[in-house]
Amino acid sequence: PDLDQVVTAPSAPFAATSGAPACAPAARRASTRKVAIVVAYCGLGYAGLQRNPNVRAVEDDIIAAAVRAGRVPAELSSDMKALWWCRCARTDKGVHALANVLSFKCVLPHDECVDGVATTLNAHLPPTVRVLAARR
């Protein structure tokens, strides 16, 4: 399925519920937006930035955090194309990064500033991986 279809489905997080009053809070409505995040990480314990089978990659932790934060539907977390996932560069095993840029389509409630993406992802990331900024 497409990310936009999953988000607009009635069971999706933040989706408007049937019978909701017209003055329902805007936080109940959401859409997907392409968001770029600037990340910094310590590469120790990782096989690099890019996801690969049977190894731990930084992208694995970022996508898992996005799922836990409700930014990415769990059923799409393994489909990088459905997320429109893009990275500016890659790092090898054990290499650190100070400002790598990643972009992906994420769930963004209409009343939330894109800066909230960095905050919610950081709440679910290990201390060795930080989102420094988020922009549309």
Side-chain angles (χ1 to χ4, degrees), residues 40-88:
Y41 53 87
C42 173
L44 298 176
Y46 291 102
L49 172 68
Q50 185 176 355
R51 279 182 139 180
N52 286 299
N54 304 318
V55 295
R56 183 179 179 211
V58 176
E59 286 181 345
D60 292 322
D61 283 356
I62 294 170
I63 292 171
V67 169
R68 286 191 301 273
R71 300 299 183 175
V72 169
E75 60 268 26
L76 296 181
S77 64
S78 62
D79 188 350
M80 302 298 264
K81 285 186 180 186
L83 298 176
W84 291 62
W85 192 269
C86 189
R87 68 189 73 75
C88 74

